[in-house]
Amino acid sequence: MSLSRRTLGKAPTHDVGRGIPDATVARLPVYGRVLRSLAAQGTTTVSSDCLAASCGVSPAKLRKDLSCLGSYGTRGVGYDVAFLSAQIDRELGLSKPWRVVIVGVGNLGRALVSYRGFASRGFEIVGLVDAHPDVIGTKLTIGEELANGEGTIYVLPLTGLERLVEESQPQIGVIATPAEAAQGVADRLVGAGLRSILNFAPVVLSVPAGVEVRKVDLAVELQILAFHEQRRGEEPLPEAMRA
Amino acid sequence: MSLSRRTLGKAPTHDVGRGIPDATVARLPVYGRVLRSLAAQGTTTVSSDCLAASCGVSPAKLRKDLSCLGSYGTRGVGYDVAFLSAQIDRELGLSKPWRVVIVGVGNLGRALVSYRGFASRGFEIVGLVDAHPDVIGTKLTIGEELANGEGTIYVLPLTGLERLVEESQPQIGVIATPAEAAQGVADRLVGAGLRSILNFAPVVLSVPAGVEVRKVDLAVELQILAFHEQRRGEEPLPEAMRA
DNA sequence: TAGATTGTTAATCGATTAACAATC
DNA sequence: TAGATTGTTAATCGATTAACAATC
């Protein structure tokens, strides 16, 4: 019972296409990553039960999420790993590359530059910018330090941000500066025409409507963990012990 | 109309205490941070409208969230900044320090070690562990590199993880290793007794029930941005232009 | 008292879940 | 056909919102 190309892809039916729920969009990248790792180990077909387990979600949720993209599974069989993976990439907009500029090249910025998942998912770092004289002019290697001819990139001065944006036309800006500098950088990114910002600085950015900011906040994550850790220490009156 | 200590803190009334919604817990650290910055600039009282604007949420949501902690505002006046800040910290479990071990001291691990928000929120880094001979034995400065006598810490070999956990009793483990190593590290952290894990590696960790894993995933955030950026490019038929 | 602002309610909205008919 | 597994439905749950009575 193999899945032929002809059989696959019943294509979006109902209202599909527009209006994929936010919660679903947030999970698609995880499904995509797991599917790629399945493909890498030679798996060609996978059931929702199996895929869901690998992704850490319930089978029902997985199927509901996937049904937003279209009817790409085969009843009684499962999903074609490569095909489904491609559909998710298409839906997420990963068919064409996205250009990214990173502002702030401290330890965090360097961690981002060396992160392999960047290029492998079609994100191209087109610029690095920093305010600190010590790092301006420094050359960094994009991706892992394999030094096998991969790209390298020079750190430009913060003052050249607007020019860089104009010349390289990034669609996404990453802010990896100290908190104090973040709002100013955001203003300049927006002023230069960017509409998508990923913010690692621990501040609430204020941006005009139409600009999307996503925030990654270490301190917030730690505090949420602390909250639950605390609760775990308080409440464990196992049902059995209650009067 | 100042807020006297006597007037403040109607204390939890209804079902409060247990069962603060997850969505609320996730926002409390943001409220806390903004309140601290307000306090730092001398503000003593703030209304829900004003605080909500600074936090990037609606006033209704803010008041609903705060009402989970108790009735700590004053009608017609607002909230006492210092008092509310303290209540949030208490609720989040930040009154006592939490000990953290960081596994993986690449660029990302170093970024975490140098992050000031760690110590300032009561998180104490009690151990750094890595598998790479080049970094084992290295000395890192915790917090900003002010070199004014703050703590420094040596990187221990990965093999010493269990012993470190036993001796220093961290409650929280941070995984900042490459993807390949993450599951193995998680298993060992759980085996050593940790129940709270913050995972920066791009893998879905599998852990026993009772262990909480939070995941910070750069690639996921970027892909969500790409999705919306793509949609923005497709859909902008301003209502006015539709037939 | 009059003005301001909270705390709470009830309505709405979106996300999750379980179950099962459709169908390979 | 019989077994397996999807896609979809309907029920439940949790989160958001707007409005306003309570009250400083």
Side-chain angles (χ1 to χ4, degrees):
Chain A
M1 278 203 206
S2 80
L3 301 165
S4 75
R5 261 304 124 92
R6 245 175 54 271
T7 320
L8 291 171
K10 293 327 180 315
T13 53
H14 24 186
D15 64 336
V16 159
R18 299 323 74 149
I20 296 186
D22 286 347
T24 296
V25 171
R27 286 186 291 264
L28 291 181
V30 177
Y31 303 157
R33 170 146 54 216
V34 171
L35 284 167
R36 249 170 289 123
S37 96
L38 286 174
Q41 68 187 46
T43 308
T44 59
T45 296
V46 70
S47 70
S48 59
D49 276 42
C50 174
L51 182 55
S54 303
C55 296
V57 302
S58 72
K61 193 186 274 186
L62 177 83
R63 287 202 299 276
K64 189 127 229 288
D65 284 343
L66 294 184
S67 77
C68 292
L69 313 191
S71 297
Y72 296 135
T74 306
R75 287 163 138 107
V77 181
Y79 299 89
D80 180 279
V81 171
F83 184 77
L84 182 58
S85 181
Q87 294 309 316
I88 289 176
D89 279 4
R90 188 185 45 72
E91 191 63 42
L92 285 171
L94 301 177
S95 313
K96 57 178 177 181
W98 296 98
R99 293 179 295 277
V100 177
V101 56
I102 298 178
V103 183
V105 191
N107 279 313
L108 176 58
R110 278 192 290 276
L112 299 179
V113 173
S114 67
Y115 178 49
R116 276 165 298 173
F118 242 113
S120 80
R121 301 281 62 224
F123 293 94
E124 185 192 355
I125 300 178
V126 298
L128 295 179
V129 168
D130 201 296
H132 200 66
D134 287 2
V135 297
I136 295 172
T138 297
K139 186 170 76 173
L140 296 186
T141 304
I142 295 176
E144 270 310 294
E145 317 173 44
L146 301 175
N148 59 358
E150 276 172 300
T152 60
I153 188 167
Y154 284 93
V155 179
L156 300 178
L158 183 55
T159 50
L161 178 58
E162 282 76 11
R163 184 166 167 192
L164 170 67
V165 171
E166 199 186 340
E167 289 179 354
S168 300
Q169 297 280 322
Q171 296 102 344
I172 297 173
V174 175
I175 298 179
T177 67
E180 308 77 59
Q183 181 63 57
V185 169
D187 292 343
R188 290 176 60 186
L189 288 173
V190 171
L194 293 222
R195 299 294 194 84
S196 297
I197 292 177
L198 181 53
N199 177 32
F200 287 92
V203 257
V204 179
L205 294 181
S206 144
V207 294
V211 176
E212 187 184 9
V213 176
R214 294 195 64 86
K215 190 174 161 193
V216 175
D217 195 321
L218 166 67
V220 167
E221 296 301 320
L222 272 178
Q223 288 176 50
I224 295 172
L225 274 179
F227 173 83
H228 290 293
E229 177 78 29
Q230 174 197 218
R231 283 295 155 90
R232 217 179 285 126
E234 285 174 7
E235 289 204 358
L237 310 163
E239 271 298 320
M241 297 205 58
R242 292 197 357 162
Chain B
M1 278 202 204
S2 81
L3 301 166
S4 77
R5 261 304 124 93
R6 245 175 53 270
T7 320
L8 291 171
K10 293 326 181 314
T13 53
H14 24 186
D15 65 335
V16 161
R18 303 314 80 148
I20 296 186
D22 287 346
T24 297
V25 172
R27 286 186 291 262
L28 291 181
V30 177
Y31 302 159
R33 170 145 57 215
V34 171
L35 284 167
R36 249 170 291 122
S37 96
L38 286 174
Q41 66 187 49
T43 309
T44 60
T45 296
V46 70
S47 69
S48 58
D49 276 42
C50 173
L51 182 57
S54 302
C55 295
V57 302
S58 72
K61 193 186 276 184
L62 177 83
R63 287 201 299 274
K64 190 127 226 292
D65 284 342
L66 294 184
S67 76
C68 293
L69 313 190
S71 295
Y72 295 137
T74 306
R75 289 164 139 104
V77 180
Y79 299 90
D80 181 280
V81 170
F83 185 76
L84 182 58
S85 182
Q87 294 310 315
I88 288 176
D89 279 3
R90 187 185 46 72
E91 191 64 41
L92 285 173
L94 302 177
S95 313
K96 58 179 176 181
W98 297 98
R99 292 178 296 277
V100 177
V101 56
I102 297 178
V103 183
V105 192
N107 280 313
L108 176 58
R110 278 194 290 276
L112 299 178
V113 174
S114 68
Y115 179 48
R116 277 166 295 172
F118 242 112
S120 80
R121 302 281 62 225
F123 294 94
E124 185 191 355
I125 299 177
V126 298
L128 294 181
V129 168
D130 200 296
H132 200 66
D134 287 0
V135 298
I136 295 171
T138 296
K139 186 171 77 172
L140 297 186
T141 305
I142 295 177
E144 270 310 296
E145 315 170 47
L146 301 174
N148 57 359
E150 276 172 300
T152 60
I153 188 167
Y154 284 93
V155 179
L156 301 178
L158 183 55
T159 51
L161 178 58
E162 283 75 10
R163 182 165 170 193
L164 171 67
V165 170
E166 200 186 338
E167 289 180 354
S168 300
Q169 298 279 319
Q171 296 104 341
I172 297 173
V174 175
I175 299 179
T177 67
E180 307 78 57
Q183 182 63 58
V185 169
D187 292 343
R188 291 176 60 185
L189 288 173
V190 171
L194 293 221
R195 300 295 195 82
S196 298
I197 293 177
L198 181 53
N199 177 32
F200 286 92
V203 257
V204 180
L205 293 181
S206 144
V207 295
V211 176
E212 188 185 8
V213 175
R214 295 195 63 86
K215 191 174 162 196
V216 175
D217 194 321
L218 165 66
V220 167
E221 296 300 322
L222 270 177
Q223 288 176 52
I224 295 173
L225 274 178
F227 173 82
H228 290 292
E229 177 77 29
Q230 173 198 219
R231 283 295 154 92
R232 217 179 285 126
E234 286 173 5
E235 288 206 358
L237 310 162
E239 272 297 321
M241 295 206 60
R242 294 196 356 162

